[in-house]
Amino acid sequence: MQLFDRLDRIPPLSEEERQLLDSVRALARDEIAPRAEHYDRTAEFPWDNIRAINALGLNAMFVPEVYGGAGLSYAAYLACVREISAACAATGIIWATNFHAMKPLIDFGTEAQKRALLPRVAEGALAALAITEPAAGSDATHMTTRFAPDGDDVVIAGNKTFITNGDVADLILLFGKWSEIADDRKAISAIVVEKGTPGLAVLRKEDKMGHRASSTVALAFDGCRVPRANLLGGPGAGLPLLLASLNKSRPSVAAHALGIARAAFEDAVAYINERRQSGRRIVEFQGIQFLIADLATDLAMCEAWLWHVAGLVERGETDFGPEASMLKMRASDLAMRAATDAVQLFGGYGYCKDYRVERLMRDAKITQIWEGTNQIHRQVIGRSFIAKR
Ligand SMILES: Cc1cc2nc3c(=O)[nH]c(=O)nc-3n(C[C@H](O)[C@H](O)[C@H](O)COP(=O)(O)OP(=O)(O)OC[C@H]3O[C@@H](n4cnc5c(N)ncnc54)[C@H](O)[C@@H]3O)c2cc1C
């Protein structure tokens, strides 16, 4: 597929980054993809995939060199997310969540915080990002988790739900409200909580439609005492920090969704070139060609937009919320459509578990829901056109 090979050449990766991407492709093809069906069926956490990812030192790529990382480009990171997610979406999101949770520390942490925590991340620590609560999903400003200062500590009380990696993470970036600030939005703060902190408990693990090997858990923080030194950006700094961080994690979840979309598209194209009906390969029917033409076109446009938004991040731009929302929304809608169309093109075989398109369709659905539902992204994009008076 020359067209997609050409698209993959858009991000200006260095020779070192291209070599790393080749190693990631080999890992995805030879180890992660063959194990994906097992992990989907058993819903076991894919520890051997995480060990293999860490053997390649992949966490280091998004950590600056001065803190023990490799400091590679954002585009190289996105390309790796897409490769791993195409092979096993659950493993892809487990790994990408390390970035989503720890990028705010890289961007907003103090020197002391970065020196203390980032070398562990670079070496392969798992991380979680805890925002959502049972009664605060799309509107995070209604979260009720409370951070009460007490001398050199902060005492945390509250519950979080649907937290990816929540039960396995070494470090959790937790959002809550500073007890001394009354204003709902201005009280939001962020703190790093370490695994094993007394009072931190896993309440339940979700049994999900897809991404079955990535653990999604409800967490309780019952009087957790955390050093105040772990507070990111100070009391009340959480909301701007969160919004700025989402602009960098949304392209990442889009790359993950595009991995699913690519996998579905490639499987579909291979199948329609083999499957014969009425004496012809089904790819020769015009109705099938129109479907695949629409998918290929949208995939190409969306991938080009991924590299456009990656370029904005690389250039240090900060005001690109609508572009990041467009990307997340379109990539995830496309993942769902590509996977559903792939099942359709496989006919009855697509509905059975012998082919991975069945899993891809289940895996695709959540991409339209997490990291801001696509309704919320439409709001973000639409609102950006309201003229300021
Ligand atoms: C597998 C999985 C992994 C997740 N991982 C994480 C994680 O690691 N960390 C984390 O913090 N969270 C995580 N989440 C939570 C996820 O981000 C939320 O589920 C999502 O933000 C939606 O919140 P909600 O489920 O409470 O839905 P709600 O906010 O209750 O929304 C319900 C429906 O109403 C719609 N809706 C809500 N408000 C509006 C509006 N203003 N206008 C129009 N429509 C609206 C929504 O689009 C949706 O269709 C995860 C969820 C899942 C299922």
Side-chain angles (χ1 to χ4, degrees):
M1 291 190 206
Q2 237 190 26
L3 184 155
F4 290 106
D5 293 342
R6 269 199 296 270
L7 272 171
D8 286 349
R9 289 200 286 271
I10 294 179
L13 303 185
S14 67
E15 190 47 39
E16 181 195 358
E17 289 171 338
R18 293 221 173 266
Q19 281 173 8
L20 180 68
L21 186 55
D22 284 344
S23 307
V24 170
R25 283 201 181 109
L27 172 70
R29 183 190 61 230
D30 301 338
E31 295 188 47
I32 296 178
R35 296 196 278 249
E37 185 276 333
H38 166 83
Y39 283 122
D40 176 56
R41 186 163 36 79
T42 60
E44 287 166 16
F45 192 81
W47 282 112
D48 45 8
N49 290 347
I50 301 307
R51 277 191 290 275
I53 282 173
N54 285 337
L56 275 186
L58 291 193
N59 267 13
M61 72 186 299
F62 53 76
V63 174
E65 275 174 286
V66 282
Y67 307 111
L72 302 185
S73 70
Y74 185 59
Y77 161 75
L78 293 179
C80 291
V81 172
R82 199 186 57 185
E83 290 302 329
I84 295 171
S85 307
C88 173
T91 302
I93 204 62
I94 292 166
W95 180 59
T97 298
N98 296 335
F99 172 86
H100 305 161
M102 289 297 120
K103 185 66 177 149
L105 178 63
I106 295 167
D107 289 348
F108 299 99
T110 62
E111 190 57 27
Q113 288 169 335
K114 292 194 249 194
R115 291 216 175 274
L117 299 171
L118 289 179
R120 286 167 60 189
V121 177
E123 279 164 21
L126 285 169
L129 176 64
I131 306 164
T132 307
E133 297 185 1
S138 295
D139 185 359
T141 61
H142 280 107
M143 64 176 72
T144 57
T145 294
R146 196 178 133 90
F147 295 171
D150 183 18
D152 287 342
D153 292 339
V154 174
V155 179
I156 304 169
N159 287 302
K160 293 286 172 184
T161 193
F162 295 141
I163 306 307
T164 303
N165 292 351
D167 55 340
V168 289
D170 302 286
L171 300 167
I172 299 173
L173 180 62
L174 174 72
F175 283 81
K177 292 212 176 133
W178 197 255
S179 63
E180 295 173 327
I181 304 176
D183 184 285
D184 242 9
R185 297 171 72 85
K186 290 185 182 150
I188 296 178
S189 309
I191 199 162
V192 177
V193 181
E194 300 243 5
K195 186 182 199 162
T197 301
L200 165 59
V202 177
L203 294 182
R204 58 175 269 151
K205 187 173 170 189
E206 306 300 339
D207 183 6
K208 305 192 298 292
M209 174 192 293
H211 285 85
R212 293 181 52 72
S214 87
S215 55
T216 308
V217 302
L219 295 174
F221 298 84
D222 185 6
C224 277
R225 195 168 272 278
V226 174
R228 192 171 169 143
N230 284 16
L231 196 64
L232 217 56
L239 193 58
L241 186 153
L242 178 61
L243 296 176
S245 304
L246 287 173
N247 282 346
K248 292 179 186 165
S249 57
R250 284 173 175 161
S252 170
V253 291
H256 168 271
L258 286 171
I260 298 174
R262 270 263 191 133
F265 181 79
E266 285 170 9
D267 284 10
V269 169
Y271 188 81
I272 61 180
N273 274 283
E274 291 299 323
R275 178 70 173 168
R276 300 181 77 84
Q277 286 295 289
S278 307
R280 299 158 75 185
R281 294 182 298 166
I282 60 174
V283 68
E284 291 169 37
F285 298 125
Q286 198 179 48
I288 301 270
Q289 289 169 10
F290 284 179
L291 189 153
I292 217 76
D294 284 341
L295 269 188
T297 305
D298 289 350
L299 196 50
M301 301 296 146
C302 204
E303 298 224 345
W305 192 252
L306 173 74
W307 301 128
H308 166 68
V309 178
L312 297 178
V313 175
E314 299 279 8
R315 290 200 295 277
E317 308 241 3
T318 50
D319 186 17
F320 58 93
E323 284 98 325
S325 282
M326 286 174 181
L327 175 61
K328 188 277 176 184
M329 180 185 88
R330 202 31 77 80
S332 56
D333 282 348
L334 182 60
M336 194 64 221
R337 179 154 69 85
T340 310
D341 283 352
V343 168
Q344 188 71 18
L345 290 171
F346 273 67
Y349 299 95
Y351 198 65
C352 301
K353 289 185 184 283
D354 292 351
Y355 291 95
R356 75 170 173 176
V357 290
E358 182 270 344
R359 185 185 82 237
L360 294 174
M361 187 171 154
R362 288 184 287 107
D363 283 344
K365 183 61 208 172
I366 187 60
T367 67
Q368 297 176 299
I369 296 171
W370 63 25
E371 203 75 10
T373 68
N374 284 0
Q375 282 92 341
I376 297 301
H377 287 291
R378 284 185 171 83
Q379 278 183 4
V380 172
I381 299 161
R383 266 204 309 253
S384 74
F385 293 100
I386 300 176
K388 290 196 175 66
R389 297 234 161 86

